[in-house]
Amino acid sequence: MATESKPEDRASDWTERREDYALRYVPAAYRRWGAASLTGVMLGVSTAMFFLAWGGELAKAYGTMNLLAGMLFGTAFIGGLAFMLARIASATGLDSDLITRGSGFGFMGSAITSLIYSFNFLMFFAFEGTIMATAVHDHWPVVPQWLLYLVIGLVFIPLTWWGLTVMNWLMWATIPVYLGFLGWTVYLAATSTTNVPFWSYAPKAPTSAAAGPALLQVVASVLALISEATIAADIGRFIPARSRTSGALAVGLASQAITFLGVTMLGAWFSISFHGSTNPGAYLASLMGVWGVLFVVVTQLRINVTNVYSGSLAYANFFCRVLHLTPGRQYWVILTSVLGTALMFGGIFAHLTAVLTFEGVFVMAWVMAVVADIVVNKPLGLSPRNFLFKRAHTYRYNAVGVGALGIALAVAVPLAFGVVGPLGRTLAPFVSGALAFVLSPSLAVLTRGRYYQPPTVARNLDPALPPVGAGAATEARVTEQPEAAQADCVVCRRSFELAEFVSCPYYRGAICSVCCAAEASCSDLCKSPAGLEQGDPVLPEADVVRRLGARTAS
């Protein structure tokens, strides 16, 4: 039964704030965040100490000009993808995982990519936590590092428990502190006694020629950070659809420019100015004493709340589908913090470059398979333009995305392990992304797009939506006007906007997308032959390949 509710009352509810619609599309009533607020959250990523350390490592290994060229590439390529995905997320209200479901992977297929995504945030949580622990331990050696690791792991649980609302407050509250300390560091670097010219700096020992040209190696390292584009989608889904272009420019392209051309290049300059030290946790504490430690701690608080929040989103999506567990996004914050702390104890920071390259192979395959579906398959009619994300509207697995991911990894992972030598290791992320991008449309042609949309009797309850899916990104039908009408879920009894529901033949009522996703006993009745006989099924769209084949035959 539909009821009326004030959008502002629902959006201010603390339960929704801590959930942040981890498993659901974001309704228009909550999609009201301004570009400035969301960019503030993204700047927590951009201003991470990791990028200072990374810039120093790359400059020392490959020289300043190679680094600059690589950062220009990163801004254009990853920034462009971040803009595109953030804009789609704003139009549809879907995060990167829900976009993946309807972009070639299917309901369970995207669980694989959720695991890949989750490790990315565990990895960066451990990197940033190690830098923070190093700063504190170097200044106060009496404090053991194992204790610092434990404290760091615990402190981020309450900071991310309440989701984006508290994160936004934290980001903006710490911006003045961060900028003040950054200005001090810039002053120290500018007045440094080093005589090494920054822009003409080149390493004394040449880069290993066996691994390929220096610029190629820098770009390979940049590709490992392509997950920055998917983070933009996770944040961009809160942008009102009417502001999706300007919001995506801020959250997507501008934030990546700050990351690559701003903070990373600054890290290179600091490293060269401070006589070659690349770990900011060490040189800031040495230069500025306790204030340097405070600088590191404030900066790492800003980035690791984003890592833990994003990791909790990935785990919430994974366990909902695989184990049918839906305790709430906030509980997966605990798992993310525990696993990230374990990686700190395992010394992952000592293997930074190798871990980045290996993870980059996996993330590149996933993201480029999704991108190919969006920019090739959907425009050509090889896949539905409509973004299908609910369990009732998708197959469990789609051979297009899952196949592209599997084949790309089968080829690229051995390269990342160095099976064919150093050059193969450098080329691994390129091979992974290129194969996935080419294989996605190829497999869509071979399968004739038949694994995107199954026949189903579980129609959307919202008359403003198409019968299935969230609509095409060009339409933004979900988000133009706040949804006032609500319904109660037949399973959890909670009230949500109509767009959240489908008509369920198993429970004979309106079921929300999360209860539908977690249901273990229905055996997908809405898509089974028995279920299809009970109602008027929504049939898949005729695909272009089949139509072209019919024309050729005639």
Side-chain angles (χ1 to χ4, degrees):
M1 178 178 178
T3 59
E4 295 296 322
S5 176
K6 294 181 180 180
E8 61 269 26
D9 293 338
R10 298 198 305 274
S12 64
D13 182 77
W14 274 103
T15 299
E16 293 179 353
R17 289 188 180 193
R18 70 170 179 259
E19 289 288 351
D20 283 330
Y21 299 93
L23 303 175
R24 311 175 193 271
Y25 98 98
V26 179
Y30 200 74
R31 203 168 323 173
R32 54 185 185 153
W33 294 65
S37 294
L38 295 174
T39 302
V41 175
M42 285 298 293
L43 286 178
V45 179
S46 301
T47 56
M49 287 288 171
F50 164 80
F51 291 106
L52 294 180
W54 185 54
E57 291 282 353
L58 293 179
K60 284 185 64 179
Y62 307 108
T64 302
M65 296 312 296
N66 284 320
L67 173 63
L68 177 61
M71 295 307 104
L72 288 169
F73 168 81
T75 300
F77 179 65
I78 297 180
L81 293 181
F83 167 78
M84 179 186 75
L85 293 177
R87 193 174 186 277
I88 290 171
S90 173
T92 61
L94 307 180
D95 66 10
S96 58
D97 176 76
L98 300 184
I99 291 172
T100 298
R101 291 185 193 178
S103 299
F105 283 82
F107 182 73
M108 290 299 294
S110 64
I112 301 170
T113 63
S114 288
L115 272 186
I116 294 173
Y117 200 28
S118 68
F119 182 77
N120 181 78
F121 297 110
L122 296 180
M123 173 181 72
F124 281 106
F125 177 89
F127 286 159
E128 305 292 352
T130 302
I131 292 173
M132 188 191 304
T134 299
V136 176
H137 179 72
D138 282 1
H139 193 72
W140 293 291
V142 69
V143 183
Q145 282 198 302
W146 64 265
L147 179 60
L148 293 169
Y149 291 160
L150 289 178
V151 171
I152 289 167
L154 289 172
V155 75
F156 288 100
I157 295 174
L159 288 176
T160 51
W161 190 265
W162 298 104
L164 275 178
T165 303
V166 172
M167 286 171 60
N168 181 47
W169 293 341
L170 177 67
M171 294 301 181
W172 284 107
T174 54
I175 274 281
V177 180
Y178 173 82
L179 291 177
F181 281 128
L182 183 64
W184 187 1
T185 309
V186 169
Y187 170 76
L188 293 175
T191 57
S192 168
T193 57
T194 182
N195 294 319
V196 179
F198 174 66
W199 291 109
S200 61
Y201 175 79
K204 294 180 181 179
T207 306
S208 172
L215 180 57
L216 183 70
Q217 296 183 55
V218 173
V219 172
S221 183
V222 169
L223 292 179
L225 298 175
I226 196 171
S227 59
E228 295 288 297
T230 55
I231 295 173
D234 294 339
I235 303 300
R237 64 197 174 118
F238 296 100
I239 301 171
R242 64 180 179 275
S243 306
R244 59 189 179 274
T245 299
S246 59
L249 280 171
V251 170
L253 187 60
S255 67
Q256 299 313 305
I258 293 171
T259 299
F260 292 112
L261 294 175
V263 180
T264 304
M265 293 302 297
L266 265 181
W269 181 47
F270 290 162
S271 177
I272 293 171
S273 299
F274 300 141
H275 308 287
S277 177
T278 61
N279 187 338
Y283 65 70
L284 289 173
S286 174
L287 288 167
M288 302 161 64
V290 67
W291 298 110
V293 176
L294 181 60
F295 183 19
V296 173
V297 170
V298 168
T299 305
Q300 302 312 82
L301 284 175
R302 291 166 53 79
I303 175 57
N304 264 354
V305 292
T306 305
N307 287 329
V308 175
Y309 171 76
S310 297
S312 70
L313 287 179
Y315 283 125
N317 279 289
F318 176 79
F319 284 104
C320 173
R321 280 164 288 172
V322 176
L323 298 179
H324 307 290
L325 294 175
T326 56
R329 177 205 59 81
Q330 68 274 21
Y331 292 97
W332 301 117
V333 162
I334 300 173
L335 177 63
T336 305
S337 296
V338 168
L339 294 179
T341 303
L343 289 179
M344 284 193 286
F345 277 101
I348 190 174
F349 189 80
H351 309 284
L352 186 149
T353 303
V355 172
L356 272 180
T357 301
F358 189 74
E359 173 68 1
V361 168
F362 283 83
V363 181
M364 275 292 291
W366 160 41
V367 173
M368 295 313 294
V370 170
V371 169
D373 195 84
I374 293 171
V375 303
V376 179
N377 297 356
K378 292 186 185 304
L380 292 181
L382 302 178
S383 68
R385 291 176 181 268
N386 184 2
F387 280 88
L388 305 162
F389 70 98
K390 295 174 181 174
R391 175 184 178 182
H393 300 158
T394 55
Y395 282 101
R396 288 174 63 83
Y397 296 96
N398 188 336
V400 174
V402 175
L405 175 71
I407 296 171
L409 292 181
V411 175
V413 168
L415 296 179
F417 276 115
V419 170
V420 298
L423 180 59
R425 187 180 294 112
T426 301
L427 292 174
F430 295 95
V431 172
S432 175
L435 275 178
F437 189 87
V438 172
L439 285 167
S440 175
S442 300
L443 291 171
V445 170
L446 288 174
T447 61
R448 296 187 174 184
R450 63 170 59 97
Y451 299 112
Y452 283 90
Q453 179 183 336
T456 179
V457 295
R459 293 173 176 262
N460 281 326
L461 207 64
D462 191 341
L465 289 175
V468 298
T474 55
E475 297 166 354
R477 281 183 270 189
V478 175
T479 61
E480 288 300 335
Q481 298 294 330
E483 305 91 337
Q486 287 192 313
D488 295 331
C489 176
V490 69
V491 177
C492 68
R493 305 298 180 184
R494 291 179 63 189
S495 295
F496 299 101
E497 292 77 9
L498 294 183
E500 176 64 19
F501 294 93
V502 297
S503 55
C504 176
Y506 183 74
Y507 283 104
R508 299 185 182 277
I511 188 171
C512 72
S513 65
V514 173
C515 288
C516 176
E519 176 57 51
S521 59
C522 70
S523 300
D524 288 335
L525 177 63
C526 60
K527 297 178 284 188
S528 69
L532 295 176
E533 293 177 357
Q534 297 182 19
D536 180 23
V538 180
L539 300 177
E541 299 176 8
D543 61 274
V544 168
V545 177
R546 189 178 295 113
R547 293 199 300 270
L548 288 176
R551 290 175 184 172
T552 303
S554 63

Short mmCIF file of all heavy atoms in Angstrom, two decimals, residues 113-153:
data_model
loop_
_atom_site.label_atom_id
_atom_site.label_comp_id
_atom_site.label_asym_id
_atom_site.label_seq_id
_atom_site.Cartn_x
_atom_site.Cartn_y
_atom_site.Cartn_z
N THR A 113 33.62 -9.24 -8.87
CA THR A 113 34.29 -7.94 -8.94
C THR A 113 34.22 -7.21 -7.60
O THR A 113 35.09 -6.39 -7.31
CB THR A 113 33.66 -7.07 -10.05
OG1 THR A 113 32.30 -6.78 -9.74
CG2 THR A 113 33.72 -7.78 -11.38
N SER A 114 33.20 -7.51 -6.78
CA SER A 114 33.15 -6.91 -5.45
C SER A 114 34.34 -7.35 -4.61
O SER A 114 34.90 -6.56 -3.84
CB SER A 114 31.85 -7.30 -4.74
OG SER A 114 30.75 -6.64 -5.30
N LEU A 115 34.74 -8.61 -4.74
CA LEU A 115 35.92 -9.10 -4.02
C LEU A 115 37.19 -8.41 -4.51
O LEU A 115 38.05 -8.03 -3.72
CB LEU A 115 36.06 -10.61 -4.17
CG LEU A 115 35.33 -11.49 -3.15
CD1 LEU A 115 35.71 -12.95 -3.37
CD2 LEU A 115 35.66 -11.07 -1.73
N ILE A 116 37.31 -8.27 -5.83
CA ILE A 116 38.47 -7.56 -6.39
C ILE A 116 38.51 -6.13 -5.85
O ILE A 116 39.56 -5.64 -5.43
CB ILE A 116 38.39 -7.55 -7.93
CG1 ILE A 116 38.53 -8.98 -8.48
CG2 ILE A 116 39.46 -6.64 -8.52
CD1 ILE A 116 38.30 -9.08 -9.98
N TYR A 117 37.36 -5.49 -5.84
CA TYR A 117 37.24 -4.11 -5.39
C TYR A 117 37.60 -3.99 -3.91
O TYR A 117 38.28 -3.06 -3.49
CB TYR A 117 35.82 -3.64 -5.64
CG TYR A 117 35.61 -2.15 -5.70
CD1 TYR A 117 36.61 -1.28 -6.11
CD2 TYR A 117 34.37 -1.60 -5.38
CE1 TYR A 117 36.39 0.09 -6.19
CE2 TYR A 117 34.13 -0.24 -5.47
CZ TYR A 117 35.14 0.60 -5.87
OH TYR A 117 34.91 1.95 -5.95
N SER A 118 37.13 -4.94 -3.12
CA SER A 118 37.36 -4.87 -1.67
C SER A 118 38.85 -4.94 -1.34
O SER A 118 39.33 -4.23 -0.45
CB SER A 118 36.61 -5.98 -0.95
OG SER A 118 37.16 -7.26 -1.24
N PHE A 119 39.60 -5.79 -2.05
CA PHE A 119 41.03 -5.89 -1.76
C PHE A 119 41.74 -4.59 -2.07
O PHE A 119 42.72 -4.23 -1.39
CB PHE A 119 41.68 -7.03 -2.54
CG PHE A 119 43.14 -7.19 -2.22
CD1 PHE A 119 43.54 -7.79 -1.04
CD2 PHE A 119 44.13 -6.69 -3.06
CE1 PHE A 119 44.88 -7.90 -0.71
CE2 PHE A 119 45.47 -6.79 -2.75
CZ PHE A 119 45.85 -7.41 -1.56
N ASN A 120 41.25 -3.87 -3.06
CA ASN A 120 41.85 -2.58 -3.40
C ASN A 120 41.83 -1.65 -2.18
O ASN A 120 42.82 -0.99 -1.87
CB ASN A 120 41.07 -1.96 -4.56
CG ASN A 120 41.62 -0.63 -5.01
OD1 ASN A 120 42.62 -0.56 -5.71
ND2 ASN A 120 40.96 0.44 -4.61
N PHE A 121 40.72 -1.63 -1.45
CA PHE A 121 40.61 -0.73 -0.30
C PHE A 121 41.36 -1.26 0.91
O PHE A 121 41.89 -0.48 1.71
CB PHE A 121 39.14 -0.47 0.02
CG PHE A 121 38.43 0.21 -1.09
CD1 PHE A 121 37.48 -0.45 -1.84
CD2 PHE A 121 38.75 1.52 -1.44
CE1 PHE A 121 36.84 0.17 -2.90
CE2 PHE A 121 38.12 2.15 -2.50
CZ PHE A 121 37.17 1.47 -3.23
N LEU A 122 41.41 -2.58 1.05
CA LEU A 122 42.23 -3.16 2.12
C LEU A 122 43.69 -2.79 1.91
O LEU A 122 44.41 -2.43 2.85
CB LEU A 122 42.08 -4.68 2.14
CG LEU A 122 40.71 -5.25 2.45
CD1 LEU A 122 40.77 -6.78 2.43
CD2 LEU A 122 40.19 -4.76 3.79
N MET A 123 44.13 -2.88 0.67
CA MET A 123 45.51 -2.59 0.31
C MET A 123 45.86 -1.13 0.66
O MET A 123 46.87 -0.86 1.32
CB MET A 123 45.70 -2.85 -1.18
CG MET A 123 47.03 -2.45 -1.77
SD MET A 123 47.06 -2.79 -3.56
CE MET A 123 45.97 -1.50 -4.16
N PHE A 124 45.01 -0.20 0.23
CA PHE A 124 45.31 1.21 0.49
C PHE A 124 45.13 1.56 1.97
O PHE A 124 45.85 2.41 2.49
CB PHE A 124 44.45 2.10 -0.40
CG PHE A 124 44.95 2.21 -1.81
CD1 PHE A 124 44.31 1.56 -2.85
CD2 PHE A 124 46.10 2.94 -2.09
CE1 PHE A 124 44.79 1.63 -4.14
CE2 PHE A 124 46.59 3.02 -3.38
CZ PHE A 124 45.93 2.36 -4.41
N PHE A 125 44.20 0.91 2.64
CA PHE A 125 44.08 1.12 4.08
C PHE A 125 45.37 0.75 4.77
O PHE A 125 45.86 1.47 5.66
CB PHE A 125 42.92 0.28 4.63
CG PHE A 125 42.76 0.36 6.12
CD1 PHE A 125 41.96 1.33 6.69
CD2 PHE A 125 43.41 -0.54 6.96
CE1 PHE A 125 41.80 1.41 8.07
CE2 PHE A 125 43.26 -0.47 8.34
CZ PHE A 125 42.46 0.51 8.90
N ALA A 126 45.96 -0.39 4.37
CA ALA A 126 47.21 -0.83 4.99
C ALA A 126 48.38 0.09 4.63
O ALA A 126 49.23 0.40 5.48
CB ALA A 126 47.51 -2.26 4.55
N PHE A 127 48.44 0.53 3.37
CA PHE A 127 49.49 1.47 2.97
C PHE A 127 49.43 2.74 3.83
O PHE A 127 50.44 3.18 4.40
CB PHE A 127 49.34 1.87 1.50
CG PHE A 127 49.72 0.79 0.51
CD1 PHE A 127 49.24 0.83 -0.78
CD2 PHE A 127 50.56 -0.25 0.88
CE1 PHE A 127 49.59 -0.15 -1.70
CE2 PHE A 127 50.91 -1.24 -0.04
CZ PHE A 127 50.42 -1.18 -1.33
N GLU A 128 48.24 3.33 3.89
CA GLU A 128 48.09 4.60 4.61
C GLU A 128 48.28 4.41 6.11
O GLU A 128 48.88 5.26 6.79
CB GLU A 128 46.71 5.20 4.34
CG GLU A 128 46.36 5.40 2.87
CD GLU A 128 47.19 6.47 2.19
OE1 GLU A 128 47.95 7.17 2.89
OE2 GLU A 128 47.09 6.60 0.96
N GLY A 129 47.78 3.31 6.64
CA GLY A 129 47.95 3.04 8.06
C GLY A 129 49.41 2.86 8.44
O GLY A 129 49.85 3.30 9.52
N THR A 130 50.17 2.22 7.56
CA THR A 130 51.60 2.02 7.82
C THR A 130 52.34 3.35 7.84
O THR A 130 53.23 3.57 8.68
CB THR A 130 52.21 1.09 6.76
OG1 THR A 130 51.52 -0.17 6.78
CG2 THR A 130 53.68 0.85 7.02
N ILE A 131 51.99 4.26 6.92
CA ILE A 131 52.61 5.59 6.91
C ILE A 131 52.31 6.32 8.21
O ILE A 131 53.20 6.95 8.81
CB ILE A 131 52.11 6.40 5.69
CG1 ILE A 131 52.64 5.78 4.38
CG2 ILE A 131 52.56 7.85 5.79
CD1 ILE A 131 52.07 6.42 3.13
N MET A 132 51.08 6.23 8.68
CA MET A 132 50.70 6.89 9.93
C MET A 132 51.48 6.29 11.10
O MET A 132 52.01 7.03 11.95
CB MET A 132 49.20 6.73 10.17
CG MET A 132 48.69 7.56 11.36
SD MET A 132 46.98 7.15 11.86
CE MET A 132 46.10 7.40 10.33
N ALA A 133 51.54 4.96 11.16
CA ALA A 133 52.26 4.31 12.26
C ALA A 133 53.74 4.66 12.24
O ALA A 133 54.36 4.84 13.30
CB ALA A 133 52.06 2.80 12.17
N THR A 134 54.33 4.76 11.05
CA THR A 134 55.74 5.12 10.93
C THR A 134 56.01 6.50 11.50
O THR A 134 57.00 6.72 12.22
CB THR A 134 56.17 5.07 9.45
OG1 THR A 134 56.00 3.75 8.95
CG2 THR A 134 57.64 5.48 9.30
N ALA A 135 55.12 7.45 11.20
CA ALA A 135 55.31 8.82 11.69
C ALA A 135 55.28 8.87 13.22
O ALA A 135 56.13 9.50 13.85
CB ALA A 135 54.23 9.73 11.11
N VAL A 136 54.31 8.20 13.80
CA VAL A 136 54.19 8.21 15.26
C VAL A 136 55.35 7.46 15.91
O VAL A 136 55.95 7.94 16.88
CB VAL A 136 52.84 7.59 15.69
CG1 VAL A 136 52.75 7.52 17.22
CG2 VAL A 136 51.68 8.40 15.12
N HIS A 137 55.71 6.32 15.36
CA HIS A 137 56.78 5.50 15.96
C HIS A 137 58.14 6.19 15.83
O HIS A 137 58.95 6.12 16.77
CB HIS A 137 56.82 4.13 15.28
CG HIS A 137 57.90 3.24 15.81
ND1 HIS A 137 57.84 2.65 17.07
CD2 HIS A 137 59.08 2.82 15.27
CE1 HIS A 137 58.93 1.93 17.26
NE2 HIS A 137 59.69 2.01 16.18
N ASP A 138 58.39 6.85 14.70
CA ASP A 138 59.67 7.53 14.53
C ASP A 138 59.83 8.68 15.52
O ASP A 138 60.95 8.98 15.97
CB ASP A 138 59.80 8.06 13.10
CG ASP A 138 60.17 6.96 12.10
OD1 ASP A 138 60.29 5.79 12.54
OD2 ASP A 138 60.32 7.25 10.91
N HIS A 139 58.73 9.33 15.85
CA HIS A 139 58.82 10.45 16.79
C HIS A 139 58.81 9.98 18.24
O HIS A 139 59.46 10.58 19.09
CB HIS A 139 57.66 11.42 16.55
CG HIS A 139 57.84 12.73 17.26
ND1 HIS A 139 58.75 13.69 16.85
CD2 HIS A 139 57.24 13.24 18.37
CE1 HIS A 139 58.70 14.72 17.66
NE2 HIS A 139 57.79 14.49 18.60
N TRP A 140 58.04 8.92 18.49
CA TRP A 140 57.98 8.35 19.84
C TRP A 140 58.31 6.86 19.76
O TRP A 140 57.41 6.00 19.76
CB TRP A 140 56.59 8.54 20.45
CG TRP A 140 56.23 9.97 20.73
CD1 TRP A 140 56.78 10.79 21.68
CD2 TRP A 140 55.24 10.75 20.07
NE1 TRP A 140 56.20 12.03 21.65
CE2 TRP A 140 55.24 12.04 20.66
CE3 TRP A 140 54.33 10.50 19.02
CZ2 TRP A 140 54.39 13.05 20.25
CZ3 TRP A 140 53.49 11.51 18.62
CH2 TRP A 140 53.52 12.77 19.22
N PRO A 141 59.60 6.52 19.67
CA PRO A 141 60.00 5.11 19.50
C PRO A 141 59.51 4.19 20.61
O PRO A 141 59.44 2.97 20.41
CB PRO A 141 61.53 5.18 19.48
CG PRO A 141 61.84 6.59 19.11
CD PRO A 141 60.76 7.42 19.69
N VAL A 142 59.16 4.75 21.75
CA VAL A 142 58.71 3.92 22.86
C VAL A 142 57.36 3.27 22.57
O VAL A 142 57.03 2.25 23.15
CB VAL A 142 58.62 4.77 24.16
CG1 VAL A 142 57.50 5.78 24.07
CG2 VAL A 142 58.45 3.87 25.38
N VAL A 143 56.60 3.86 21.64
CA VAL A 143 55.29 3.29 21.28
C VAL A 143 55.52 2.20 20.23
O VAL A 143 55.97 2.49 19.12
CB VAL A 143 54.35 4.36 20.71
CG1 VAL A 143 52.98 3.75 20.40
CG2 VAL A 143 54.22 5.53 21.67
N PRO A 144 55.23 0.94 20.54
CA PRO A 144 55.50 -0.15 19.59
C PRO A 144 54.57 -0.06 18.37
O PRO A 144 53.41 0.36 18.48
CB PRO A 144 55.22 -1.41 20.40
CG PRO A 144 54.30 -0.97 21.50
CD PRO A 144 54.67 0.44 21.81
N GLN A 145 55.09 -0.48 17.22
CA GLN A 145 54.30 -0.39 16.00
C GLN A 145 53.08 -1.30 16.03
O GLN A 145 52.03 -0.96 15.48
CB GLN A 145 55.17 -0.68 14.78
CG GLN A 145 56.05 0.51 14.38
CD GLN A 145 56.57 0.38 12.96
OE1 GLN A 145 57.24 -0.60 12.65
NE2 GLN A 145 56.29 1.36 12.12
N TRP A 146 53.19 -2.45 16.68
CA TRP A 146 52.04 -3.36 16.72
C TRP A 146 50.85 -2.71 17.43
O TRP A 146 49.70 -2.89 17.04
CB TRP A 146 52.40 -4.68 17.39
CG TRP A 146 52.78 -4.60 18.85
CD1 TRP A 146 54.01 -4.50 19.39
CD2 TRP A 146 51.85 -4.59 19.96
NE1 TRP A 146 53.96 -4.43 20.76
CE2 TRP A 146 52.63 -4.49 21.14
CE3 TRP A 146 50.47 -4.65 20.08
CZ2 TRP A 146 52.07 -4.45 22.41
CZ3 TRP A 146 49.91 -4.62 21.35
CH2 TRP A 146 50.70 -4.53 22.50
N LEU A 147 51.14 -1.92 18.47
CA LEU A 147 50.07 -1.22 19.18
C LEU A 147 49.47 -0.14 18.29
O LEU A 147 48.24 0.07 18.28
CB LEU A 147 50.62 -0.60 20.47
CG LEU A 147 49.61 0.19 21.33
CD1 LEU A 147 48.45 -0.71 21.76
CD2 LEU A 147 50.31 0.80 22.54
N LEU A 148 50.32 0.55 17.54
CA LEU A 148 49.81 1.58 16.63
C LEU A 148 48.93 0.97 15.55
O LEU A 148 47.89 1.53 15.20
CB LEU A 148 50.99 2.32 15.98
CG LEU A 148 51.83 3.17 16.94
CD1 LEU A 148 53.10 3.64 16.24
CD2 LEU A 148 51.02 4.38 17.43
N TYR A 149 49.31 -0.19 15.03
CA TYR A 149 48.48 -0.88 14.05
C TYR A 149 47.10 -1.19 14.61
O TYR A 149 46.07 -0.99 13.94
CB TYR A 149 49.15 -2.17 13.58
CG TYR A 149 50.39 -1.99 12.75
CD1 TYR A 149 51.31 -3.03 12.60
CD2 TYR A 149 50.66 -0.79 12.09
CE1 TYR A 149 52.45 -2.88 11.84
CE2 TYR A 149 51.80 -0.63 11.32
CZ TYR A 149 52.70 -1.69 11.19
OH TYR A 149 53.84 -1.54 10.43
N LEU A 150 47.05 -1.66 15.84
CA LEU A 150 45.77 -2.00 16.47
C LEU A 150 44.90 -0.76 16.66
O LEU A 150 43.70 -0.79 16.38
CB LEU A 150 46.01 -2.69 17.82
CG LEU A 150 46.56 -4.12 17.78
CD1 LEU A 150 46.79 -4.63 19.20
CD2 LEU A 150 45.59 -5.04 17.04
N VAL A 151 45.51 0.31 17.16
CA VAL A 151 44.75 1.55 17.38
C VAL A 151 44.22 2.09 16.06
O VAL A 151 43.05 2.52 15.97
CB VAL A 151 45.63 2.59 18.09
CG1 VAL A 151 44.92 3.95 18.13
CG2 VAL A 151 45.98 2.12 19.50
N ILE A 152 45.06 2.08 15.04
CA ILE A 152 44.64 2.57 13.72
C ILE A 152 43.47 1.75 13.20
O ILE A 152 42.50 2.27 12.65
CB ILE A 152 45.82 2.53 12.73
CG1 ILE A 152 46.85 3.62 13.11
CG2 ILE A 152 45.35 2.74 11.30
CD1 ILE A 152 48.17 3.47 12.41
N GLY A 153 43.53 0.43 13.36
CA GLY A 153 42.45 -0.43 12.91
C GLY A 153 41.14 -0.15 13.62
O GLY A 153 40.06 -0.19 13.02
#
